[in-house]
């Protein structure tokens, strides 16, 4: 399969692997049709599967999303306000083909970064941060500009 046709299959990290702290959330998500408790309770959550930029290893992570009027999903590379981007963000820059699990369905998508200095990025960030105030707090914790990524369905 050509690199631009890569469609990663959803995965689950093994105990001790990077991201294994997400295992309970991912298991609950898959067992309950996309519904979870804890800090994600009531949030719009997906499981995002990417192919490693350097390793080529396929990994899945939970992330919040904001549905867009065109059917795409907007996600944030907040990494909890850390000074580094999350690994999945580096992965999508090299391998933009991803898999999205909503709890109801799983589909192929293409990830596109919203340009960091654009008015669109600032508007989308402000709208989402007004809805989920943690994003504003994350941005305040770091000097890096938190990236926004649009996931567009491709199946």
């Amino acid at each position: 399969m050509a690199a631009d046709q890569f469609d990663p299959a959803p995965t689950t990290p093994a105990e001790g692997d990077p991201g294994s702290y997400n295992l309970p959330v991912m298991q609950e998500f898959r067992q309950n049709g996309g519904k979870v408790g804890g800090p994600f309770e009531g949030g719009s959550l997906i499981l995002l599967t990417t192919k490693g930029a350097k390793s080529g290893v396929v990994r899945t992570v939970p992330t919040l999303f904001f549905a867009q009027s065109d059917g795409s999903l907007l996600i944030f590379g907040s990494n909890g306000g850390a000074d580094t981007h999350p690994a999945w963000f580096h992965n999508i820059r090299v391998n933009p083909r991803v898999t999205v699990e909503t709890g109801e369905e799983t589909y192929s998508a293409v990830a596109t970064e919203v340009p960091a200095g654009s008015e669109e990025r600032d508007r989308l960030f402000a709208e989402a941060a007004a809805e989920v105030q943690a994003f504003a707090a994350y941005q305040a914790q770091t000097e890096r500009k938190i990236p926004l990524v649009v996931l567009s369905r491709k199946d």
Side-chain angles (χ1 to χ4, degrees):
M1 188 175 285
D4 65 336
Q5 296 176 322
F6 176 76
D7 184 19
T11 62
T12 301
E15 282 294 333
D17 281 356
S20 63
Y21 54 86
N22 286 321
L23 273 172
V25 173
M26 293 169 60
Q27 290 167 342
E28 184 178 6
F29 181 95
R30 288 177 172 152
Q31 289 170 354
N32 298 313
K35 306 270 188 264
V36 297
F40 291 115
E41 186 171 4
S44 298
L45 189 69
I46 58 168
L47 299 184
L48 174 69
T49 302
T50 64
K51 181 179 179 183
K54 293 180 185 175
S55 68
V57 174
V58 174
R59 291 199 170 90
T60 302
V61 296
T63 188
L64 292 174
F65 74 90
F66 297 86
Q68 302 299 290
S69 60
D70 65 357
S72 65
L73 306 179
L74 178 70
I75 60 174
F76 283 52
S78 64
N79 205 17
D83 288 330
T84 57
H85 294 317
W88 66 256
F89 179 71
H90 299 291
N91 294 346
I92 62 100
R93 282 184 149 176
V94 174
N95 301 305
R97 297 287 297 201
V98 300
T99 298
V100 174
E101 290 179 73
T102 67
E104 297 174 2
E105 64 178 328
T106 300
Y107 61 88
S108 178
V110 174
T112 306
E113 181 180 2
V114 178
S118 69
E119 288 181 21
E120 177 188 20
R121 185 260 175 220
D122 294 343
R123 177 185 59 77
L124 290 168
F125 189 92
E127 289 172 2
E131 188 176 329
V132 179
Q133 295 173 353
F135 287 118
Y138 293 153
Q139 186 59 76
Q141 287 176 219
T142 183
E143 292 182 22
R144 72 181 174 91
K145 194 108 172 177
I146 291 176
L148 276 63
V149 173
V150 174
L151 304 175
S152 302
R153 190 179 188 125
K154 295 293 178 198
D155 57 359

